[in-house]
Amino acid sequence: MLGITVFGLLVLLVISVGLLYKSMPVIKEQSLYDLLFTSSWKPSKDHFGFLTFILSTLRVTFIAILIAVPLSLLSAIYLSEYASERTKKMLSPGIDLLSGIPPVIYGVWGTLVVVPWISDHLAPHFVDFSTGYSVLAGGIVLAIMIIPLIISIIIEVFAAVPQELREVSLSVGATKWQTIKRVLLLKSLPGVLAAVILAISRAFGETIAVLMVCGNFTEIPKSVFDACYPLPALIANNYGEMMSLPNYESALMFAALLLFVIIILFNAGSRLILNHITQRYQL
Amino acid sequence: METNLYSYQFRTESDAVPQRSAPIKLTKLSFPLLRVIDLNVSIQDKQILKDINLQIPEKSITCIIGPSGCGKTTLLRSLNRLHDDNADINITGSVLVDNEDIYGKNVEVTHIRKKMGLLAQRPTVLPMSIFENVAYGPRIHGIRDKRKLYGIVKNQLEAVGLWEEVKDRLKSPAIRLSIGQQQRLCLARGLAVSPEIILGDEATSALDPIATTKIEQLFVSLKKEYSIVLVTHTLRQARRIADYVAFMYMGELIEFGSATEIFTNPKHQLTRDYIGGSFS
Ligand SMILES: Nc1ncnc2c1ncn2[C@@H]1O[C@H](COP(=O)(O)OP(=O)(O)OP(=O)(O)O)[C@@H](O)[C@H]1O
Ligand SMILES: [Mg+2]
């Protein structure tokens, strides 16, 4: 067991060192500040500003979580606390199936359904023009992709809450809904947060489905109806092309490094918060 | 309804609860707080409780005894409809609380549960502070006022003899209390919604002898104000604190009577054998 863990950590180390080594040329050429906080993207002039990509990644993920978490939480509450055994038996395989569908299918569905819906029906209410390929489209498709994951983890978390705890609440005359709000959710808070963290990490890295619907446009999106260009899409779209340009490969490696660091920082940060909450409330 | 109860009363007096040396005071028009009439419970088509008829005397301790698996827990949980969520369980008959059939049509369950404090086998504290554990019920029932809540919490913690031990750390998580303290906290939490009945299912089986004694003494002092129904795993405990005893066997209520009667002069051979320790 220890061996496997150490091996895993080593792989992580090797990847980060490799990425860092490969991105050194572009880091030396431009300051780190320039790379992170400017948005002009001119590979032919040997200038790379990543702000657009960083912001795109964060915004698409944020919207996905905003949509996915409430929906998943409510579905999980329904499935675990209200649904009959029969309904559960019917719906659970469906949820497992959804998490097994390849991302590219979600991407196709996004292009065929979500993108036109945004451009024809939703966007006209808010902005003059939108192709539909947008931050919002990316967020929606991503949300649909991570919902099954969040639901199935939260259901497990709810199942781990002892029945006695619910009965304590019921037996002082609380309704079922009061019991869910005040006891079940409180007790499950760390688990629910862990599910959300996992989903966010997954969302950060999701490439193909998002790439297909978010427009891939190298300008900072002004609204959710504008096109955007997340980091994974940048790498997937361009790696292997235009490699003759000086420092282009190095810049893409830097993009990968950024993604890697964002995910690791995010995970470490949220673990800290999680531990704090668990300790503080002795859950 | 009236006539129904009437006829039932006649029947009770003649067979299910025969008059004995310390009879339950039953006049024809007195309605005991809690009575079980022809209760049948089956789980997945297997009958667990058969025709249970029982009246719980007020302001005294009734112990339900019987061998493991005879249906004690099932009966106790039927008394405040804790089986509601289990679709496999089928219940017929009635349980009257304050003369209201809790299994009647359209009966709202929360006000019934509020009338009964439940004490589980293992202390189950809510993942909150000591204060919030006791304040939980009152808050549920709409009490917001800080001072009022504090008053309730203090009173109930005093009632279970926990106030002196915890008054300086009301805000600390309840889970840090010792098991015995936790169980008393659970009792206080149940009492905080001013119930009329206390239900306990082997409430001392997870506790050490000293904590057990404390809880038993509490029950004895609480019976001045509450009607207490305890499922108990030890005959000795029943001997120590019971005023009345119900003996169950294989899902049936075999005998009900005052503790003295059941322990010194049981009517039924099965009861005699069980009390005598021929089986357990
Ligand atoms: N959820 C359930 N599903 C199926 N059978 C059950 C269920 N709950 C209880 N039973 C059965 O009902 C019978 C009575 O159980 P119950 O828990 O009421 O007994 P008990 O008298 O409390 O026993 P103990 O002294 O061991 O606690 C047992 O035969 C048990 O197997
Ligand atoms: Mg039991």
Side-chain angles (χ1 to χ4, degrees):
Chain A
M1 278 306 260
L2 182 68
I4 298 173
T5 315
V6 170
F7 179 75
L9 288 176
L10 267 179
V11 169
L12 218 61
L13 195 69
V14 169
I15 293 178
S16 50
V17 168
L19 286 176
L20 188 63
Y21 173 77
K22 285 279 207 175
S23 30
M24 267 341 261
V26 69
I27 297 175
K28 272 183 193 146
E29 194 87 7
Q30 279 172 254
S31 71
L32 203 57
Y33 180 89
D34 237 24
L35 285 171
L36 292 179
F37 298 110
T38 63
S39 62
S40 82
W41 182 257
K42 302 206 174 65
S44 50
K45 298 209 176 87
D46 207 20
H47 187 271
F48 304 94
F50 283 89
L51 192 60
T52 306
F53 308 104
I54 297 172
L55 288 181
S56 296
T57 298
L58 295 181
R59 285 179 192 178
V60 170
T61 307
F62 179 72
I63 289 190
I65 293 300
L66 213 59
I67 299 171
V69 169
L71 288 179
S72 315
L73 200 56
L74 290 175
S75 312
I77 288 174
Y78 170 72
L79 282 172
S80 117
E81 306 297 312
Y82 289 96
S84 67
E85 284 305 316
R86 246 185 81 216
T87 320
K88 274 186 219 171
K89 278 208 185 90
M90 267 161 47
L91 292 182
S92 304
I95 291 169
D96 293 341
L97 182 74
L98 280 179
S99 34
I101 293 178
V104 68
I105 310 260
Y106 285 98
V108 171
W109 171 77
T111 349
L112 291 178
V113 179
V114 179
V115 169
W117 176 71
I118 289 176
S119 85
D120 299 342
H121 299 285
L122 192 62
H125 295 296
F126 301 95
V127 291
D128 292 338
F129 174 74
S130 167
T131 57
Y133 291 92
S134 57
V135 178
L136 187 60
I140 291 175
V141 169
L142 202 49
I144 303 293
M145 289 180 68
I146 57 179
I147 281 175
L149 176 74
I150 309 182
I151 292 180
S152 45
I153 301 178
I154 294 182
I155 286 181
E156 293 295 315
V157 172
F158 284 168
V161 173
Q163 193 58 31
E164 290 82 19
L165 218 49
R166 297 179 177 87
E167 285 175 2
V168 160
S169 169
L170 294 175
S171 72
V172 299
T175 62
K176 201 162 170 170
W177 182 238
Q178 286 172 323
T179 301
I180 290 170
K181 275 193 306 188
R182 303 194 187 192
V183 176
L184 182 69
L185 287 183
L186 177 65
K187 182 75 183 170
S188 319
L189 190 63
V192 170
L193 284 181
V196 174
I197 291 166
L198 198 70
I200 294 179
S201 309
R202 161 103 197 270
F204 274 142
E206 179 48 45
T207 310
I208 194 76
V210 179
L211 177 154
M212 291 168 75
V213 297
C214 67
N216 304 326
F217 188 59
T218 55
E219 210 167 89
I220 296 178
K222 288 182 195 62
S223 78
V224 292
F225 300 107
D226 283 345
C228 68
Y229 209 159
L231 282 166
L234 171 74
I235 303 168
N237 270 341
N238 299 299
Y239 199 78
E241 286 172 26
M242 298 197 290
M243 285 308 186
S244 52
L245 292 172
N247 283 342
Y248 199 79
E249 191 194 358
S250 177
L252 292 182
M253 285 299 163
F254 183 74
L257 183 66
L258 263 181
L259 198 60
F260 196 72
V261 169
I262 289 178
I263 290 176
I264 286 183
L265 281 185
F266 170 76
N267 266 284
S270 36
R271 290 287 149 194
L272 280 180
I273 296 173
L274 202 59
N275 282 344
H276 176 75
I277 290 175
T278 318
Q279 293 278 312
R280 170 88 171 66
Y281 298 99
Q282 304 260 319
L283 293 170
Chain B
M1 195 67 193
E2 199 79 352
T3 50
N4 230 339
L5 283 175
Y6 224 82
S7 60
Y8 172 71
Q9 217 93 46
F10 276 120
R11 235 185 65 200
T12 326
E13 283 176 13
S14 57
D15 50 77
V17 189
Q19 299 286 321
R20 293 201 196 95
S21 53
I24 315 162
K25 287 184 213 79
L26 265 188
T27 57
K28 272 171 199 157
L29 284 172
S30 88
F31 302 112
L33 203 52
L34 180 60
R35 46 197 276 178
V36 180
I37 303 170
D38 295 334
L39 184 74
N40 282 277
V41 176
S42 52
I43 305 182
Q44 287 167 338
D45 298 329
K46 184 181 149 217
Q47 187 147 25
I48 308 290
L49 295 181
K50 292 173 205 123
D51 296 325
I52 304 283
N53 281 289
L54 179 66
Q55 319 206 9
I56 302 296
E58 272 181 67
K59 317 246 150 138
S60 42
I61 300 178
T62 303
C63 283
I64 303 176
I65 61 171
S68 183
C70 68
K72 307 184 290 295
T73 299
T74 310
L75 174 61
L76 199 74
R77 291 168 62 86
S78 310
L79 299 184
N80 69 347
R81 281 184 47 181
L82 269 184
H83 294 305
D84 277 14
D85 263 0
N86 192 331
D88 292 336
I89 299 188
N90 186 28
I91 299 176
T92 63
S94 31
V95 173
L96 300 186
V97 177
D98 281 340
N99 222 16
E100 176 185 16
D101 181 4
I102 68 170
Y103 287 105
K105 261 188 198 146
N106 303 326
V107 170
E108 185 268 338
V109 68
T110 60
H111 82 278
I112 289 160
R113 292 201 179 121
K114 186 170 174 283
K115 290 181 189 168
M116 299 181 224
L118 178 74
L119 208 52
Q121 190 161 0
R122 299 193 49 77
T124 311
V125 298
L126 295 167
M128 309 165 181
S129 67
I130 296 170
F131 182 92
E132 288 302 327
N133 259 275
V134 185
Y136 182 80
R139 275 192 207 280
I140 288 283
H141 297 290
I143 298 178
R144 295 272 133 68
D145 185 56
K146 281 264 163 61
R147 289 178 51 196
K148 209 167 170 190
L149 283 172
Y150 183 84
I152 295 175
V153 171
K154 181 163 187 267
N155 275 341
Q156 299 312 335
L157 287 175
E158 277 170 352
V160 300
L162 207 54
W163 178 250
E164 287 303 320
E165 292 161 59
V166 303
K167 66 173 186 228
D168 299 322
R169 46 177 177 141
L170 290 174
K171 290 225 165 75
S172 81
I175 197 82
R176 293 210 193 120
L177 295 172
S178 76
I179 295 291
Q181 288 173 324
Q182 284 185 29
Q183 192 65 315
R184 281 185 283 152
L185 181 68
C186 293
L187 188 54
R189 182 182 54 208
L191 297 182
V193 293
S194 20
E196 297 158 40
I197 302 161
I198 298 172
L199 307 174
D201 189 358
E202 312 200 357
T204 57
S205 66
L207 308 182
D208 61 68
I210 293 173
T212 301
T213 309
K214 271 192 186 155
I215 296 267
E216 285 180 2
Q217 285 168 349
L218 267 176
F219 283 144
V220 172
S221 72
L222 287 170
K223 76 178 178 188
K224 287 190 204 76
E225 289 171 64
Y226 304 92
S227 310
I228 304 177
V229 186
L230 302 173
V231 165
T232 175
H233 52 297
T234 56
L235 278 174
R236 264 178 295 140
Q237 183 169 57
R239 275 185 218 272
R240 283 195 296 266
I241 59 174
D243 299 311
Y244 296 90
V245 175
F247 171 62
M248 290 181 66
Y249 185 72
M250 306 258 283
E252 288 184 72
L253 181 67
I254 303 295
E255 190 166 351
F256 177 88
S258 75
T260 358
E261 267 176 342
I262 297 279
F263 285 119
T264 57
N265 186 24
K267 297 273 178 296
H268 206 286
Q269 184 60 38
L270 271 170
T271 321
R272 209 166 299 146
D273 291 347
Y274 184 73
I275 302 288
S278 317
F279 65 96
S280 61

